[in-house]
Amino acid sequence: MVTRPRYCGGPSVELGYWLGGQGTPFQPLETWPQLQGRRVIGTYRGRSAAALACRLLGVGEGQEVLFPSYNCGTELDAVLHSGARVVAYRVSRRCEIDLEDLMARKSSRTRAVYVIHYFGWEQPMAELRRWCDDSGLLLLEDCALALFSSGPSNSVGRAGDASIFSLSKTLGSWHGGLLSMSGSSVVREPNLVSPGIQTLWTEFRTSLRPLVYTGLERLRIYGPLISVRGRLRKCRDIGAQDAEFPPMPKSYYFNPDADADRSLHTRIRALAGAASPDAVLNRRRANYARLAKTIEGHPGVEALYPELPRGVCPLHFPIRVSNRDALVREFEIRGVPAIAWWKGFHLGAIDWANFAEACQLKRDILCLPVHQGLDGEHVEHICSAISDVLKTATC
Ligand SMILES: Cc1ncc(COP(=O)(O)O)c(C=O)c1O
């Protein structure tokens, strides 16, 4: 038995969907608990939503946005596209934002605070909201990793003047983002352009992947192929020295021609509408709990979040290990697509040398899949790969 790529939250749209739907009734996205009572705008991608939030709220030239030092870089580049300057603030090794550091960085040019709910875990939104209101600042919430999460205080995606979502990360489409705005935000007409046929073509090609992978799996050659790829990458890595701050991939940068002012494709809206927030949440939580139990007692490996609080919909199972990139290869060899999470750095806007903890997170965090598409057999395969890898590798 081998794992399929849908494990990592990647493409999971079946071909049948394109050939007349999956028979699941589509719900308007506005009925999702996280979006209720908010103005919802469908966007091409999550990064498009971040750029649009800045445009609609008037964030731009001559202004500053307080920004978390631990970031993907994509969201950062989308905010830079507005013309505003970003001022990074400290994020701890446990992915908690440092409120004191954040507040100390406010200047007369500060216009907004940007906050990321890492992997679905809730940030302290009540304190932030209060401080932003008292200081006359906008609050921009990034929920790209937190679709269907509410958190113990039920604030994820509800406290910000604008909240940004990326549908692809949880639901497995190729594109898709949402911007939700609070009732009190001044909303001009977004005037978005439809993404067109190219988007549909990419989605269609993406939807063929599970079919191909399943075929390879039936022929019993998918596992060996993944494993060979892992071994080849491992050979390539031997002796390779990563730069201190390896750049993030080019595709992470904001491309104004492709990403700005584009709407959500109607087909992807329908696809997202077929998802059940409760079913996704419950499945992901159950998978997370199973993986968390498996790493218990293994020295040298630590769950980034040992607890799974009420209402959290985990995007992955992030663990902290010291020889992360080597372990990613070991998981690949066993057919499990582990991710070296946010390994690359956005170069240019942040002085990384001042943010040791964020840099360490970029070097240590390895993500394992908890995707809702996994069945029991898949999860057991991942668990035995974890035991195997952690037994043989020195973390
Ligand atoms: C925290 C965060 N915000 C926003 C985005 C942008 O989402 P998208 O890839 O849908 O543009 C990403 C993408 O990786 C992300 O990690």
Side-chain angles (χ1 to χ4, degrees):
M1 216 295 297
V2 289
T3 59
R4 291 179 210 164
R6 63 187 168 129
Y7 282 9
C8 60
S12 62
V13 187
E14 303 295 340
L15 184 65
Y17 167 75
W18 298 96
L19 303 176
Q22 297 165 309
T24 319
F26 298 146
Q27 298 293 333
L29 307 191
E30 287 75 2
T31 61
W32 287 352
Q34 239 173 352
L35 300 177
Q36 279 172 20
R38 302 195 37 110
R39 159 133 198 220
V40 182
I41 303 168
T43 59
Y44 183 54
R45 306 183 84 169
R47 65 199 76 180
S48 318
L52 183 63
C54 293
R55 177 163 76 76
L56 294 179
L57 294 171
V59 176
E61 293 285 338
Q63 298 178 340
E64 290 176 353
V65 178
L66 301 178
F67 211 88
S69 49
Y70 185 47
N71 54 66
C72 167
T74 306
E75 70 298 57
L76 169 59
D77 214 53
V79 169
L80 288 175
H81 172 72
S82 72
R85 184 174 164 262
V86 300
V87 174
Y89 61 83
R90 181 179 166 264
V91 176
S92 81
R93 291 263 289 141
R94 305 204 61 80
C95 277
E96 296 146 343
I97 61 175
D98 181 337
L99 280 173
E100 212 176 299
D101 184 66
L102 181 158
M103 291 172 186
R105 291 176 191 270
K106 177 178 173 293
S107 77
S108 57
R109 287 176 298 280
T110 307
R111 179 72 187 104
V113 175
Y114 197 96
V115 63
I116 301 176
H117 299 285
Y118 301 106
F119 305 108
W121 269 254
E122 186 181 32
Q123 296 288 3
M125 297 315 287
E127 288 96 315
L128 262 181
R129 182 70 267 176
R130 212 173 308 120
W131 183 70
C132 285
D133 288 344
D134 291 349
S135 315
L137 300 179
L138 295 165
L139 181 54
L140 308 180
E141 244 186 298
D142 188 323
C143 309
L145 317 181
L147 186 68
F148 303 148
S149 253
S150 51
S153 313
N154 197 17
S155 70
V156 178
R158 296 162 172 271
D161 297 286
S163 302
I164 286 131
F165 298 85
S166 170
L167 298 178
S168 54
K169 299 200 172 32
T170 305
L171 299 180
S173 57
W174 196 253
H175 305 92
L178 297 173
L179 171 63
S180 92
M181 306 193 73
S182 71
S184 57
S185 306
V186 184
V187 178
R188 306 174 209 157
E189 265 318 302
N191 293 326
L192 303 182
V193 178
S194 173
I197 194 75
Q198 180 60 32
T199 307
L200 211 53
W201 175 233
T202 319
E203 286 291 341
F204 180 71
R205 272 190 336 216
T206 305
S207 70
L208 291 177
R209 285 193 198 173
L211 204 71
V212 174
Y213 295 141
T214 307
L216 293 175
E217 198 178 296
R218 293 241 164 90
L219 294 171
R220 304 203 168 272
I221 51 177
Y222 179 69
L225 282 178
I226 285 264
S227 180
V228 166
R229 193 184 64 178
R231 281 173 210 281
L232 287 175
R233 288 191 181 166
K234 187 175 169 180
C235 292
R236 210 179 51 201
D237 287 350
I238 292 173
Q241 286 281 307
D242 264 334
E244 192 180 5
F245 304 118
M248 66 182 193
K250 287 208 173 61
S251 61
Y252 283 26
Y253 286 92
F254 191 76
N255 175 353
D257 294 335
D259 300 327
D261 300 329
R262 298 269 202 96
S263 62
L264 176 64
H265 200 285
T266 46
R267 200 70 183 134
I268 300 164
R269 182 184 280 270
L271 163 81
S276 154
D278 274 355
V280 172
L281 175 97
N282 292 334
R283 195 65 251 160
R284 283 178 175 266
R285 286 179 64 88
N287 293 342
Y288 188 98
R290 178 72 186 90
L291 268 54
K293 203 158 174 40
T294 307
I295 68 152
E296 272 174 15
H298 280 287
V301 58
E302 201 191 325
L304 177 63
Y305 299 105
E307 306 296 329
L308 181 57
R310 186 164 37 90
V312 169
C313 180
L315 185 72
H316 295 293
F317 179 58
I319 54 175
R320 206 200 311 265
V321 285
S322 59
N323 54 347
R324 192 260 319 265
D325 293 355
L327 289 192
V328 167
R329 298 290 168 252
E330 293 301 329
F331 277 110
E332 280 186 333
I333 286 170
R334 288 158 182 81
V336 175
I339 309 174
W341 189 253
W342 287 355
K343 177 177 176 171
F345 290 72
H346 183 287
L347 300 181
I350 293 185
D351 186 354
W352 291 105
N354 292 333
F355 296 98
E357 289 138 311
C359 294
Q360 205 54 50
L361 285 166
K362 280 184 169 279
R363 292 178 189 126
D364 288 352
I365 297 294
L366 180 154
C367 282
L368 290 165
V370 296
H371 193 264
Q372 63 273 12
L374 300 172
D375 60 29
E377 204 184 343
H378 291 136
V379 176
E380 289 318 309
H381 177 78
I382 297 173
C383 290
S384 72
I386 293 177
S387 303
D388 198 25
V389 168
L390 297 183
K391 202 166 52 204
T392 49
T394 27
C395 303

